[in-house]
Each structure stands twice: as C-alpha cells, then as structure tokens.
Amino acid sequence: MRLSEDVSGPTVALKERAVLLFREHLGAVRRRTDRLFAGLMLAQWAFGILVALFVAPYGWRGKDGAPHAHVYAALFLGAALTVFPIALARWRPGDAATRHGVALAQMLWSSLLIHLTGGRLETHFHVFVSLAFLSLYRDPWVLLSASCATVADHIIRGFLWPESVYGIVDPEWWRFLEHAFWVGILNMVLLHAGRGMRREMREVAVRRAELELAREREEEKSAALDRALRELSGFQEHLIRVEKLAAVGQLAASVGHELRNPLAAVRNAHAYLSRRLSRDVIGAADDPRVPQFLGVMERELGACAKIISDLLDFARERPPALQPCPLRPLVDEAIGVVPPRDGVRILNEVPESLPVPCLDKEQFRQVLVNLVQNAVEAMPTGRTGQVSVLAEGQDTGPWAIRVIDDGAGIPPDVLPKIFEPLFTTKTRGTGLGLAIVANMVQRHGGTISVRSEAGRGSEFHIHLPATAAAQAA
C-alpha cells in the first residue's frame, strides 16, 4: 500500500508521520538483519574451515601431512569474507552500503563453499538459502546485487575453472543459464513476498501514526482543559474574594446594627449606675435596680461577645487539626454548653461502642453546639419537645451524624437559604451560625443537609467520608 494512494483523505501530518514511522521500522529491521548476518558470517567461517579439513582434497608428502590449499582458502579468504561484512554491520548498521556489502560477501561465501565441495550440487542450495536470508532486508536492490554477483561468478568460473563450479571439467556452455533461471525464479518469489511485507509495514505505520496523532490531540485537549480549569479555578478564587469582601461589608453593617442595641442597653445601665453611685455609694447597695442593671450589662455584653465570636469563626479559615475524638463525650460537652430550656429534653443517643473518628475537636464541638442550640430555639414557646443527637459509622466506612428535633420546622421558602451567611429569621442574631457549621463540616471533607417539615420538626444530617474513621484508626 502506498501512503499517498491508499489512505483516504489523510492529512499532511498523517502522511509525514506515517512515512517517518515506516522508515524507522524499516531501519530497525535492516539493523537487526545486519546483526544476524554478522553472526551468520562467523558460523559460515567455522563451517568452511571444517569443510576444507574433512571434505576438500587433502595433500600428503611422505609421512608428514600438509594442508591442502583449500584449507588456506577457507582460513584467509573466508576471514576476508567474514571480517568485511562484520565491520560494516558494526560501524555502519542499516546503511545501503552495508546491505550490499553483506550481500556480496554472502554470495562469495556460497561460491567458496561450492568450490570447497568440488561443485557438489547440494552446495548450490546455499545460494538459494542466502537469497532467502537477504530478502529479510526488504530491499529488492540487495537481491539484484546478490543475484548479479552469483551469476557473474558462475559465468566467469564456468569458463575459466568449470570444475570448481559444476564439479566436471567440460560442462555445457549454457549451464550457467540453468542456474541463473532458478535464481531468477527464486527472486520473483522473494520480491513478491517482500512487497507484501513492505505493504504490511506501511499499513502498520499508518495505523500507528493515526493512533499517535489521536493521542497527541487528546493530550492537547487535556492540556487545554487543564488550562481552562486552572483559569476557572483562579476566577472562582477571585470571585470568592470579591464575594467575601462584599460579605465583609454587609457583615460589618449587620454586626454594627446588632452591637448597637446591646451596647445602648449597657450604656443606659452604666449611666444609671454612675449617677446612682455618685449620689450615694452606701445607699446604692440597697437599691434593687442596681443588681438589675448589672445583670442587664452582663447579658448584653455576653451578646456582644457572641456576635464577635461568630464573626471570628466565620472569618477564620483555619484547617481542621484532626485527631482521634470520641464522639459521645463530645456531644455531652456540646449539650452542656447549650442553655437549658424548660420542657425541652436533649438526648445524647450516640452509641458508646461507636469507633473513634478523627475530628477537629474544637470545630466539631462548635458545629454540634450551633445545631443543638438552633434545635432548642426552634421549639415553640410553651410547648414540650425533644432534641436528639445520633451517630453511626464504621472504621472503614462513611459516618453520619444527625441532630433531630420535633419543633416548628423550617418553612419551605426559607429552607434553601439557611446556610447562606447573614441570613436569619430571628429578631436577634447575625445569621452566621449555620454558615459557620457548613464551613466547618466542609473543612472536614463532609457535607451537611437538612430535611424539615413545617410543624413536625427538622433533621440536620452530617455526612463525613470514610477517611475520618480511617485516620483515627
């Protein structure tokens, strides 16, 4: 198959790549064939010496034997025919000169072996075997060089020394034509087979070129996708910074609004106490409004501290310091922090036999405190209710922690917004509690979801990956 004819609609790049791969493959095949002939030459040399010693005529002079001239021919002429192609294969592998040099030496080896055996018919098959080996080069010009060399040898020696070629002194003059005919027949077969092999190599080169180009295109697409993802990530980070700055501005306004009321109460209480103490310090101890205003100041300052604490928890992005953290005692600590409320029971239903997960204790206690406190505050005034904390998990599996209440529930229109910063339905509060919870759960690699039904309560579901338990183990 010719690339320019048999590839339907190929691109220039595909043609060039296929031609390059075909040449690389063909070059590798020819270098391997050079090495094959280098070893074959050495084997032929040893075989030729053995033939000269045991098959060729042996001359004697009295009691002392002397090697025949054929032995010297096998030694020295054989050495020349062996060293020359080996040197070419060693120093110029894959070159056209090497292939033709090997072909010439190989056919001369056939001539030498025919001569050493006195022109035996069986030795002439060495010519055909040599041509078959030379066809491994996939080069028709090599077969032509080898065939011309052997035909010329038969013609020249057939006229000058016919016994060394045909084994008889007076052969017919056309004998070389008979040998040339069979060499030509073999060459036709080898050329046909070589053409088929070259066509298969071209087809393989085209398929390989298509695969390589397709892989390069995929790699280019992957690289472009990576660049797009990096740009998108950078854009998202920029957008997050912008949103955070906007949130900070909105937060500052909200915090200022939330701090204004408790600070005003503290200022009024402080003003009253200052006036009362300036008039009569001793009598102030008996004034019932003094402890009342002191309580107001303590409560409102606590509210201010809570607002500031929420603000700091939302602003800080400290990565969680994971460590083995038994969950049931942690739930007990969180429940102990939540102010109790009459008629509302808080149950820790986390099994004691639960494996120990790996959590940031402080962050996750804050998560539980916020969820439990929200559940308690969701209970309608004057109604009894129950808040339960449950958990389940395994050493190698995911974890689930649920906070369930049977309070008023969350209206459907409010439910999608409850994790947004600054969103609140309470008369007092910054709207950061659940946003802080979502951030902390996300830092642990988990997710949080909520299911609620108006009048029947809510269920917050925290899902943690299996790595939480695995790291603890």
Side-chain angles (χ1 to χ4, degrees):
M1 181 180 68
R2 296 182 65 82
L3 294 175
S4 58
E5 297 173 356
D6 299 326
V7 179
S8 58
T11 63
V12 176
L14 176 61
K15 284 184 177 180
E16 293 177 349
R17 180 69 62 90
V19 170
L20 179 61
L21 292 174
F22 171 75
R23 289 176 178 173
E24 288 179 353
H25 189 192
L26 189 59
V29 169
R30 288 171 174 173
R31 288 191 291 274
R32 286 200 302 271
T33 308
D34 286 340
R35 292 193 294 270
L36 171 66
F37 271 103
L40 182 61
M41 291 296 175
L42 289 175
Q44 286 181 150
W45 190 17
F47 179 73
I49 293 173
L50 292 176
V51 169
L53 288 173
F54 299 105
V55 178
Y58 201 78
W60 293 86
R61 290 180 181 175
K63 294 181 180 180
D64 299 329
H68 191 270
H70 291 170
V71 177
Y72 295 112
L75 279 175
F76 299 108
L77 185 57
L81 295 178
T82 300
V83 172
F84 175 65
I86 289 178
L88 288 174
R90 172 67 178 84
W91 301 110
R92 302 187 64 178
D95 283 7
T98 302
R99 295 195 294 277
H100 289 282
V102 167
L104 181 61
Q106 183 63 21
M107 302 320 293
L108 290 179
W109 255 112
S110 296
S111 301
L112 179 58
L113 290 175
I114 291 170
H115 172 74
L116 293 176
T117 58
R120 288 178 63 87
L121 180 61
E122 293 82 356
T123 315
H124 283 263
F125 285 100
H126 189 274
V127 174
F128 303 117
V129 174
S130 298
L131 290 173
F133 274 95
L134 289 172
S135 69
L136 295 177
Y137 280 118
R138 275 83 159 171
D139 187 350
W141 297 108
V142 170
L143 291 178
L144 179 62
S145 298
S147 300
C148 291
T150 195
V151 170
D153 172 70
H154 278 59
I155 293 174
I156 295 172
R157 284 199 298 156
F159 282 105
L160 300 179
W161 196 358
E163 189 177 6
S164 66
V165 181
Y166 305 117
I168 56 178
V169 178
D170 188 18
E172 296 84 354
W173 67 268
W174 44 264
R175 181 66 64 90
F176 75 93
L177 291 177
E178 181 183 3
H179 288 245
F181 171 76
W182 290 114
V183 168
I185 293 296
L186 178 61
N187 277 333
M188 292 176 62
V189 174
L190 293 177
L191 288 173
H192 178 73
R195 186 179 181 185
M197 287 187 287
R198 290 171 68 93
R199 181 174 60 250
E200 291 177 358
M201 290 174 64
R202 286 193 177 93
E203 291 174 351
V204 170
V206 171
R207 301 293 177 265
R208 186 177 169 189
E210 290 175 344
L211 290 175
E212 289 185 357
L213 290 175
R215 185 171 62 246
E216 290 178 359
R217 287 195 293 269
E218 292 300 322
E219 290 175 352
E220 291 175 357
K221 291 180 180 177
S222 178
L225 181 60
D226 290 341
R227 287 196 299 273
L229 289 176
R230 286 195 296 271
E231 292 175 359
L232 180 61
S233 178
F235 178 75
Q236 286 178 334
E237 291 178 359
H238 175 72
L239 183 61
I240 290 172
R241 287 196 296 272
V242 171
E243 290 180 346
K244 187 171 290 185
L245 290 175
V248 167
Q250 188 178 356
L251 184 63
S254 176
V255 169
H257 175 75
E258 295 298 329
L259 287 177
R260 185 173 57 185
N261 292 332
L263 288 178
V266 170
R267 185 175 59 187
N268 292 336
H270 178 267
Y272 175 80
L273 292 175
S274 298
R275 289 195 303 271
R276 184 68 182 85
L277 291 174
S278 62
R279 289 198 301 267
D280 183 7
V281 175
I282 298 176
D286 298 328
D287 187 346
R289 300 191 65 182
V290 170
Q292 177 187 353
F293 277 111
L294 287 175
V296 169
M297 292 177 66
E298 182 180 1
R299 184 180 68 250
E300 297 302 329
L301 288 175
C304 292
K306 177 66 168 55
I307 294 171
I308 295 172
S309 177
D310 285 351
L311 178 62
L312 292 176
D313 287 339
F314 179 73
R316 284 183 303 198
E317 293 186 355
R318 179 177 64 83
L322 300 179
Q323 58 180 345
C325 180
L327 197 54
R328 184 177 174 82
L330 186 63
V331 173
D332 285 335
E333 289 184 26
I335 292 175
V337 173
V338 175
R341 180 171 171 180
D342 293 338
V344 179
R345 292 195 308 160
I346 306 176
L347 303 178
N348 182 359
E349 298 184 11
V350 177
E352 294 183 354
S353 59
L354 204 64
V356 178
C358 202
L359 304 169
D360 185 306
K361 184 177 180 180
E362 296 302 323
Q363 290 189 10
F364 222 80
R365 181 175 59 183
Q366 185 64 34
V367 168
L368 294 173
V369 168
N370 287 355
L371 292 178
V372 173
Q373 186 165 350
N374 282 348
V376 172
E377 293 175 353
M379 208 66 64
T381 305
R383 206 192 91 180
T384 59
Q386 178 175 299
V387 176
S388 302
V389 181
L390 303 91
E392 56 186 9
Q394 300 174 354
D395 288 334
T396 57
W399 279 61
I401 302 170
R402 293 179 294 160
V403 178
I404 304 173
D405 68 76
D406 55 358
I410 305 173
D413 59 329
V414 174
L415 197 59
K417 306 176 183 177
I418 60 173
F419 293 112
E420 295 180 1
L422 308 177
F423 178 81
T424 181
T425 58
K426 300 177 183 177
T427 55
R428 299 189 64 177
T430 58
L432 294 175
L434 288 179
I436 293 171
V437 168
N439 282 341
M440 288 182 175
V441 171
Q442 189 176 11
R443 289 174 202 162
H444 281 76
T447 59
I448 184 170
S449 59
V450 59
R451 184 176 57 187
S452 183
E453 185 176 353
R456 304 191 63 178
S458 304
E459 176 180 343
F460 285 83
H461 187 148
I462 297 174
H463 180 273
L464 294 177
T467 52
Q471 292 177 6

